[in-house]
Amino acid sequence: MKLSQNKETLDQIAPLVEYAFLKNNDIREDPNFLSRYNHSMGFGKYKDNHLASYIMVNEFKSRIFAKKVKMGGVGYVASYPENRGQGDINRLMKEVILELHDQNYAISDLAPFSETFYRRYGYENAIYEKMYQIRPEYLRFFKPIKEGKVVRGRWSDSSLKEAVIKLYQAKLNQGEQRNTVDRADWWWDRLDTYYPGRSICVYFDKFQQPQGYMFYRIVERNFRVEEMYYQTPQAAQALLSIIASHSLSDLKYYVKMPEESLLGEFFPEQEGITIKTIPYMMTRIIDMKQVLEALPLVNNTKLTIEVTDDDIIAENNGIWLVNDAAEETKVRKVETNPDYTASLTNWTKVLLGHLTLKQAVQLGFVKENHPVNTDFVKGEVSFYDYF
């Protein structure tokens, strides 16, 4: 059931979340938890008048190319141990997905504790991150910049905060992101409190314009860049020089970047870096029509795809015509032989994940009925958010 948002409900949610996620503090006094709770929908099951299972859903906006859509961020999926295996989470997940559909959400994202478990509900790996580990001696290539300046500080510095948000929004407004959070002010502020001790660096060019930023922390002798964005090579070099200025042999250096990142190309000798691509978030398509309307096609052509096996939202199933050349209705249901057929989760790999249509066919995820010389434009995902 959908929960009321009041003190009585929070008093029931708090001990469940604290138990399930091993929290030693009263989350009713925790600003990080409350900031999410105050911007959330809650779903739960009661047993003997006590909350036994709970799911939180936060409303976000996400960019899928030029479109801004509603995204449901699922988190705090919890049950008491004596209630596990009773089917409550199964029922709640289906209720959440149907509620999101009723409220016109396009997609839902979550960080899975089990990919197999969430795949039952139509979620699929779609968001990956690229992690660079850099050996300290290979930072010697990056010297202090001679043009422009790097300003270091905290989120409380309004000028740095303004510069970072300006750069982040500029990235979104390029219309090339396919599943990236359009951050609200409350979420920006929560990210700062969620990562204590985090520093910001912003590179300003010789015209005093921000061209790149990074967030980093030093935790247990690990230098961790948790978010980096640069608009120019000079900005990338400037930010790397700041990492190099901390170069100590007993530190380990990590830089988290989007999957499409080419940061390693700035290193003259790449043997000193280790690069891993790691699954980060799973995505569930809530409204197939909204997603297809947001995705551009290569060659401005048209394509018919068949979606199968959405056992929760039947409206997503069927044959969809995507016509980029249409002046009015770009996407509509049709009754014809489809060019390609796949399940909802396998289409997620192509539409919002990193697989091209050709790759998905070669891997057996998509059935090719009639080859068409087109594909969905891939874009990129710059997703650093966690919920």
Side-chain angles (χ1 to χ4, degrees):
M1 62 180 290
K2 192 173 181 181
L3 302 176
S4 300
Q5 198 169 48
N6 52 39
K7 182 182 183 301
E8 291 74 20
T9 304
L10 182 57
D11 287 343
Q12 295 253 12
I13 291 171
L16 172 54
V17 168
E18 289 162 12
Y19 185 91
F21 294 93
L22 305 177
K23 293 182 179 293
N24 297 318
N25 59 308
D26 184 347
I27 62 171
R28 293 170 296 183
E29 305 296 329
D30 182 350
N32 285 318
F33 178 82
L34 291 176
S35 63
R36 280 190 61 185
Y37 177 75
N38 292 333
H39 293 86
S40 73
M41 297 183 287
F43 297 81
K45 292 287 186 183
Y46 285 84
K47 297 289 173 66
D48 299 324
N49 296 319
H50 291 284
L51 187 69
S53 299
Y54 174 66
I55 296 177
M56 177 187 285
V57 183
N58 291 105
E59 177 181 333
F60 295 100
K61 296 293 191 298
S62 282
R63 292 293 183 96
I64 305 181
F65 292 91
K67 296 276 189 180
K68 185 186 291 188
V69 302
K70 292 172 70 175
M71 180 268 283
V74 173
Y76 288 117
V77 179
S79 286
Y80 283 116
E82 62 271 20
N83 195 56
R84 292 170 190 164
Q86 304 299 311
D88 281 359
I89 294 299
N90 177 63
R91 289 184 285 271
L92 286 176
M93 283 300 302
K94 291 177 180 178
E95 184 180 349
V96 165
I97 290 165
L98 289 171
E99 177 72 19
L100 293 177
H101 185 259
D102 288 345
Q103 293 196 28
N104 202 37
Y105 282 70
I107 56 176
S108 172
D109 292 333
L110 56 78
F113 70 84
S114 166
E115 296 166 29
T116 301
F117 176 81
Y118 284 110
R119 207 168 273 125
R120 301 178 198 170
Y121 307 104
Y123 287 85
E124 186 52 79
N125 287 322
I127 300 170
Y128 295 77
E129 63 181 24
K130 186 176 284 187
M131 183 64 73
Y132 296 83
Q133 182 174 356
I134 307 168
R135 284 161 50 185
E137 62 268 29
Y138 284 81
L139 290 167
R140 69 183 186 277
F141 300 111
F142 304 103
K143 307 300 182 184
I145 56 171
K146 297 180 180 180
E147 187 175 273
K149 64 179 180 179
V150 176
V151 180
R152 186 184 61 83
R154 301 287 186 180
W155 189 246
S156 56
D157 185 325
S158 59
S159 61
L160 292 182
K161 179 177 179 178
E162 180 182 346
V164 168
I165 293 176
K166 179 180 178 180
L167 286 166
Y168 190 87
Q169 288 302 130
K171 171 175 58 179
L172 296 182
N173 292 339
Q174 291 170 3
E176 296 175 353
Q177 300 293 316
R178 71 173 183 270
N179 195 352
T180 299
V181 177
D182 198 327
R183 293 172 178 164
D185 288 342
W186 75 269
W187 186 246
W188 275 111
D189 292 339
R190 184 190 181 277
L191 289 173
D192 182 59
T193 57
Y194 187 74
Y195 298 103
R198 199 158 73 151
S199 295
I200 310 171
C201 285
V202 178
Y203 168 69
F204 295 87
D205 64 17
K206 63 181 180 180
F207 303 108
Q208 291 79 52
Q209 294 301 308
Q211 298 291 341
Y213 71 84
M214 71 177 179
F215 292 94
Y216 71 90
R217 293 189 297 164
I218 301 175
V219 181
E220 297 179 349
R221 309 308 296 168
N222 292 324
F223 187 103
R224 294 190 174 275
V225 176
E226 293 163 333
E227 182 168 342
M228 179 190 285
Y229 172 65
Y230 50 87
Q231 291 184 330
T232 64
Q234 292 77 16
Q237 295 275 0
L239 296 173
L240 286 167
S241 75
I242 295 299
I243 302 173
S245 71
H246 293 79
S247 182
L248 295 171
S249 60
D250 66 335
L251 283 182
K252 293 182 179 180
Y253 296 84
Y254 300 91
V255 180
K256 182 164 71 171
M257 295 291 291
E259 184 183 7
E260 297 82 6
S261 166
L262 298 175
L263 186 70
E265 299 300 320
F266 289 106
F267 287 76
E269 296 183 24
Q270 295 189 17
E271 68 175 358
I273 55 176
T274 301
I275 306 172
K276 294 182 180 180
T277 301
I278 307 166
Y280 186 55
M281 286 266 180
M282 299 181 83
T283 297
R284 211 273 189 204
I285 294 176
I286 302 295
D287 189 323
M288 179 61 71
K289 187 173 188 291
Q290 283 194 60
V291 171
L292 290 174
E293 285 176 338
L295 295 170
L297 287 173
V298 176
N299 300 330
N300 283 332
T301 184
K302 60 183 180 179
L303 183 67
T304 55
I305 69 167
E306 183 179 21
V307 180
T308 66
D309 300 311
D310 190 339
D311 298 327
I312 301 176
I313 304 174
E315 294 93 324
N316 286 333
N317 295 319
I319 300 170
W320 296 91
L321 170 64
V322 184
N323 187 356
D324 248 4
E327 294 184 3
E328 296 181 0
T329 306
K330 175 187 172 181
V331 176
R332 59 187 173 92
K333 286 274 190 79
V334 294
E335 294 184 6
T336 186
N337 292 324
D339 299 316
Y340 297 90
T341 299
S343 66
L344 176 83
T345 52
N346 283 334
W347 276 122
T348 304
K349 298 173 187 286
V350 176
L351 303 180
L352 297 173
H354 57 197
L355 292 184
T356 66
L357 190 52
K358 182 178 180 180
Q359 289 170 335
V361 170
Q362 290 173 337
L363 290 167
F365 297 137
V366 173
K367 179 183 178 183
E368 184 177 64
N369 304 311
H370 311 110
V372 178
N373 185 28
T374 192
D375 202 341
F376 295 95
V377 176
K378 295 314 299 176
E380 61 181 29
V381 182
S382 302
F383 199 107
Y384 298 95
D385 305 82
Y386 186 83
F387 38 80

